[in-house]
């Protein structure tokens, strides 16, 4: 059959595109990279696996979990072989007990999935999901009543339409003393356009984009997405540190809560992954350097405590951490005090830093890689709504990249650079949610204010 000319031309163009040589960034990009973001249907605004926290009695009480503080009424955290669960723990409810969030999650919700099952040999029970959008003042039931009858976890899915903050309450409504287990609560928000780009709401920690296309899959251990209430991060299992951490900083985040100093391992990491301990940096000559700073989260004890998980830490040269970065962090909060809100992304890359004991590549018997460089990007906008729409070519963007050494200047302004330069060094796609024309301008500019 004779091929028409126009199809021949298309075939030539297709072959040319397939053979085009890819450009490799100076550092090898994380698995998945930014191209994977096209496959993400929504942003996860809450994730709770019950692996963090302990409660061994049914009496009503509050439990601090990975996502925040929850009220357990006639419920506990179960870790028995007869608890239906993934991992080591799940929640267990009896009678007409409930699990209720004591905090507001932000970023909205469109899909909520909850794992549920029967404890041991107990009979079936029913439960309901209730949601509050006014800080817990009132609740409305979402979806239909769910029946738990299997000893293995099943997944219940609820479709909702919440654009702002919310609280969840899971309420057992029948079955008497029969007990049920609840596990793996995931809330997703945002729809996708033709290109699959997520559309989270104002103040969302990932509003400006997912820099490395991180996903919450154990098949992606070098670029594992972890969604917290107070920040979101891409974790690298083999380095034992985050690749990057992203958060929103506004006036409501800054309060009077004391610094908790409760450094601790992150028990929400997938089963079998090494957990960096609070003592893993001891004697190394490096600080446990926060990515999302403690002082950026002083609205409550829970918020501040969330910053002390070791998945939020990097081995940072003491003077670099306590002087250079401390000064930059303080400056970021001063911008908020002046009437702005700030979207922040911080990360590190490379291998080998110089602490108080000299230069090393790893610590903690090789479990934790010491980065060579530490960077941060701050996008500053006046307080308001429709944040993405208000970021223009004139928006102030501060990009800083310092060596991880003990002799950096206390003046962070000496290390200002462009977002483009950080992207070139890391292979990430920062600020990817912004229009291309805006990115092109603000990512090339070096701040001089």
């Amino acid at each position: 059959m004779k091929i028409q000319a126009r199809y021949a031309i298309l075939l030539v163009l297709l072959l040319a595109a397939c053979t085009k040589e890819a450009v490799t960034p100076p550092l090898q990009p994380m698995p998945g990279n930014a191209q994977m973001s096209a496959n993400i249907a929504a942003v996860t605004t809450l994730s709770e696996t019950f692996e963090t926290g302990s409660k061994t009695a049914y009496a009503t009480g509050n439990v601090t979990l990975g996502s925040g503080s929850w009220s357990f009424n006639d419920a506990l955290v179960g870790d028995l072989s007869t608890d239906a669960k993934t991992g080591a723990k799940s929640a267990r409810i009896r009678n007409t007990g409930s699990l209720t969030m004591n905090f507001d999650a932000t970023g909205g919700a469109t899909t909520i999935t909850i794992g549920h099952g029967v404890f041991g040999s107990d009979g079936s029970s029913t439960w309901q999901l209730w949601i509050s959008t006014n800080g817990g003042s009132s609740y409305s039931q979402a979806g239909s009543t769910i029946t738990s009858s299997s000893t293995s976890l099943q997944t219940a899915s609820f479709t909702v339409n919440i654009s702002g903050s919310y609280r969840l309450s899971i309420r057992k409504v029948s079955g008497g003393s029969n007990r049920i287990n609840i596990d793996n609560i995931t809330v997703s928000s945002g729809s996708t356009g033709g290109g699959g780009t997520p559309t989270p709401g104002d103040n969302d920690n990932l509003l400006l984009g997912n820099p490395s296309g991180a996903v919450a899959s154990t098949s992606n251990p070098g670029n594992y997405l972890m969604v917290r209430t107070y920040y979101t991060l891409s974790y690298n299992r083999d380095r034992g540190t985050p690749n990057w951490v992203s958060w929103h900083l506004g006036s409501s985040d800054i309060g009077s809560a004391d610094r908790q100093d409760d450094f601790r391992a992150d028990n929400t990491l997938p089963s079998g992954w090494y957990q960096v301990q609070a003592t893993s940096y001891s004697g190394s000559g490096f600080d446990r350097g926060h990515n999302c700073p403690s002082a950026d989260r002083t609205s409550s004890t829970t918020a501040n405590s969330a910053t002390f998980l070791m998945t939020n830490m990097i081995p940072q040269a003491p003077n670099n951490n306590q002087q250079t970065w401390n000064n930059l962090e303080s400056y970021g909060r001063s911008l908020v005090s002046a009437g702005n809100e700030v979207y922040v992304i911080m990360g590190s890359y490379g291998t080998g830093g110089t602490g108080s004991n000299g230069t090393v590549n790893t610590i903690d018997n090789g479990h934790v890689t010491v980065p060579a460089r530490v960077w941060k990007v701050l996008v500053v906008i006046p307080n308001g709504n429709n944040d993405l729409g208000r970021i223009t070519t004139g928006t102030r963007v501060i990009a800083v990249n310092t060596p991880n050494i003990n002799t950096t200047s206390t003046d962070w302004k000496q290390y200002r650079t462009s977002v483009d330069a950080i992207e070139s060094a890391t292979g990430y796609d920062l600020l990817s949610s912004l229009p291309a024309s805006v990115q092109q301008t603000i990512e090339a500019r070096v701040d001089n204010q």
Side-chain angles (χ1 to χ4, degrees):
M1 180 183 293
K2 187 182 246 184
I3 301 176
Q4 295 183 14
R6 63 177 178 273
Y7 293 116
I9 293 172
L10 287 173
L11 180 61
V12 170
L13 291 174
L14 178 61
L15 289 173
C18 292
T19 57
K20 184 177 180 180
E21 184 179 359
V23 178
T24 303
L27 293 177
Q28 185 178 2
M30 297 299 162
N33 215 324
Q35 292 177 351
M36 192 174 292
S37 63
N39 299 322
I40 300 175
V43 172
T44 301
T45 61
L46 180 82
S47 177
E48 183 51 64
T49 62
F50 299 97
E51 296 299 307
T52 299
S54 176
K55 186 175 185 290
T56 58
Y58 285 103
T60 299
N62 296 331
V63 183
T64 300
L65 301 170
S67 59
S69 174
W70 291 65
S71 174
F72 278 50
N73 173 28
D74 219 349
L76 52 75
V77 178
D79 60 0
L80 302 179
S81 60
T82 44
D83 283 296
K85 60 186 183 298
T86 57
K89 301 176 184 179
S90 63
R92 189 194 311 158
I93 313 173
R94 69 178 184 181
N95 300 321
T96 54
S98 62
L99 311 172
T100 303
M101 293 164 54
N102 292 324
F103 62 95
D104 287 332
T106 60
T110 53
T111 302
I112 302 172
T113 58
I114 300 174
H116 64 101
V118 170
F119 172 79
S121 59
D122 287 6
S124 61
S125 299
T126 61
W127 57 274
Q128 298 169 345
L129 173 66
W130 290 68
I131 303 177
S132 172
T133 57
N134 57 9
S137 296
S138 62
Y139 284 82
S140 299
Q141 185 180 349
S144 58
T145 300
I146 304 298
T147 299
S148 295
S149 57
S150 172
T151 55
S152 60
L153 283 180
Q154 308 296 307
T155 300
S157 182
F158 303 84
T159 299
V160 296
N161 183 21
I162 300 170
S163 59
S165 61
Y166 61 88
R167 297 188 184 197
L168 306 182
S169 181
I170 298 167
R171 305 175 180 180
K172 186 173 179 290
V173 294
S174 79
S177 60
N178 289 332
R179 294 154 292 184
I180 62 171
N181 290 114
I182 298 293
D183 204 359
N184 302 331
I185 301 172
T186 302
V187 183
S188 300
S189 175
S191 58
T192 62
T197 303
T199 56
D202 281 1
N203 304 343
D204 188 276
N205 294 321
L206 276 185
L207 181 69
L208 301 189
N210 182 328
S212 59
V215 291
S217 170
T218 54
S219 64
N220 205 25
N223 191 23
Y224 182 75
L225 183 67
M226 303 185 75
V227 178
R228 304 286 184 209
T229 300
Y230 302 103
Y231 53 88
T232 295
L233 64 103
S234 162
Y235 188 71
N236 191 314
R237 179 197 63 186
D238 296 333
R239 290 177 68 94
T241 61
N243 299 309
W244 52 261
V245 179
S246 182
W247 68 98
H248 172 265
L249 178 61
S251 58
S252 63
D253 297 307
I254 302 174
S256 58
D258 292 333
R259 179 182 168 97
Q260 298 302 298
D261 275 324
D262 53 344
F263 292 94
R264 62 199 184 279
D266 192 335
N267 295 324
T268 67
L269 286 169
S271 178
W273 286 23
Y274 179 77
Q275 295 180 9
V276 180
Q277 301 296 308
T279 57
S280 290
Y281 290 21
S282 297
S284 68
F286 291 91
D287 284 358
R288 294 170 294 194
H290 283 70
N291 281 259
C292 179
S294 162
D296 278 13
R297 293 291 183 255
T298 53
S299 60
S300 67
T301 297
T302 298
N304 190 261
S305 176
T307 69
F308 286 91
L309 289 167
M310 292 304 292
T311 45
N312 185 42
M313 305 295 162
I314 58 170
Q316 196 166 3
N319 289 341
N320 181 262
N321 177 43
Q322 298 168 28
Q323 298 177 16
T324 316
W325 282 94
N326 180 63
N327 292 339
L328 175 57
E329 291 164 2
S330 296
Y331 181 72
R333 290 186 290 274
S334 76
L335 293 171
V336 172
S337 299
N340 299 292
E341 52 188 303
V342 185
Y343 286 90
V344 191
I345 312 167
M346 177 175 171
S348 55
Y349 64 91
T351 300
T354 304
S356 58
N357 296 338
T359 302
V360 297
N361 290 335
T362 64
I363 61 174
D364 193 20
N365 296 316
H367 289 296
V368 178
T369 299
V370 178
R373 307 285 302 192
V374 187
W375 59 268
K376 180 177 283 188
V377 172
L378 301 90
V379 178
V380 186
I381 54 176
N383 291 331
N385 299 314
N386 184 29
D387 292 352
L388 277 180
R390 295 188 298 119
I391 299 174
T392 69
T393 55
T395 295
R396 186 182 183 190
V397 176
I398 306 168
V400 175
N401 191 348
T402 74
N404 187 22
I405 59 177
N406 221 24
T407 54
T408 49
S409 169
T410 59
D411 183 7
W412 59 266
K413 292 183 178 180
Q414 294 188 23
Y415 302 99
R416 284 181 291 190
T417 184
S418 67
V419 174
D420 279 344
I422 294 175
E423 289 182 330
S424 178
T426 61
Y428 299 150
D429 185 10
L430 303 174
L431 316 185
S432 60
S433 294
L434 298 177
S437 58
V438 175
Q439 288 186 63
Q440 184 176 8
T441 300
I442 64 177
E443 291 186 358
R445 191 167 56 224
V446 177
D447 178 71
N448 60 6
Q449 295 187 38

